[in-house]
Amino acid sequence: MLEDDGGVSDSLGLALNNLGHEVVFHRTAESFFSQSPPAASDVVLVDLSLPGIPGGQAVRWLQRLAGPPRVVVVTGQSQTVIDHQLRGLGPLMVVRKPLDFAALVAALPDV
């Protein structure tokens, strides 16, 4: 999960752990990129409003992997910002803040 807001990442992490998912947190794309890339079977939640490298750029990097993971964009940004950051990308699941956990769970594989 790429999310710089500690409250959001804590809430999401708790909910996803309770559903049986293993959650790894990164507050910046730079921290995320310094690790091994995710597997094709992984799901990566990406906040668009990250410090440093923006979420849209992180999504582009993820989609260029040989075996890209499923990407779910999490954002509280306006539709204009979403459209700008995700311009030219294929269809993506976008979950708006405040979070709708039912929509988020629907984007995740069964455990």
Side-chain angles (χ1 to χ4, degrees), residues 48-49 56 60 73 75-88 94 96:
L48 287 184
S49 299
R60 284 177 173 73
V73 173
T75 186
Q77 295 297 315
S78 70
Q79 191 61 49
T80 302
V81 172
I82 294 169
D83 292 344
H84 176 73
Q85 282 214 32
L86 302 180
R87 182 176 291 127
V94 176
R96 302 293 299 262

Side-chain angles (χ1 to χ4, degrees), residues 4-83:
D4 66 318
D5 183 312
V8 172
S9 61
D10 287 349
S11 296
L12 277 173
L14 180 61
L16 295 173
N17 279 323
N18 286 337
L19 292 171
H21 296 280
E22 179 183 338
V23 181
V24 177
F25 300 101
H26 295 277
R27 292 194 185 271
T28 66
E30 292 86 346
S31 167
F32 179 72
F33 294 151
S34 72
Q35 305 300 308
S36 298
S41 60
D42 290 336
V43 176
V44 180
L45 305 179
V46 180
D47 180 18
L48 287 184
S49 299
L50 295 172
I53 296 172
Q57 192 171 341
V59 171
R60 284 177 173 73
W61 180 83
L62 288 164
Q63 287 188 337
R64 286 193 300 261
L65 292 173
R70 185 180 314 177
V71 175
V72 177
V73 173
V74 179
T75 186
Q77 295 297 315
S78 70
Q79 191 61 49
T80 302
V81 172
I82 294 169
D83 292 344

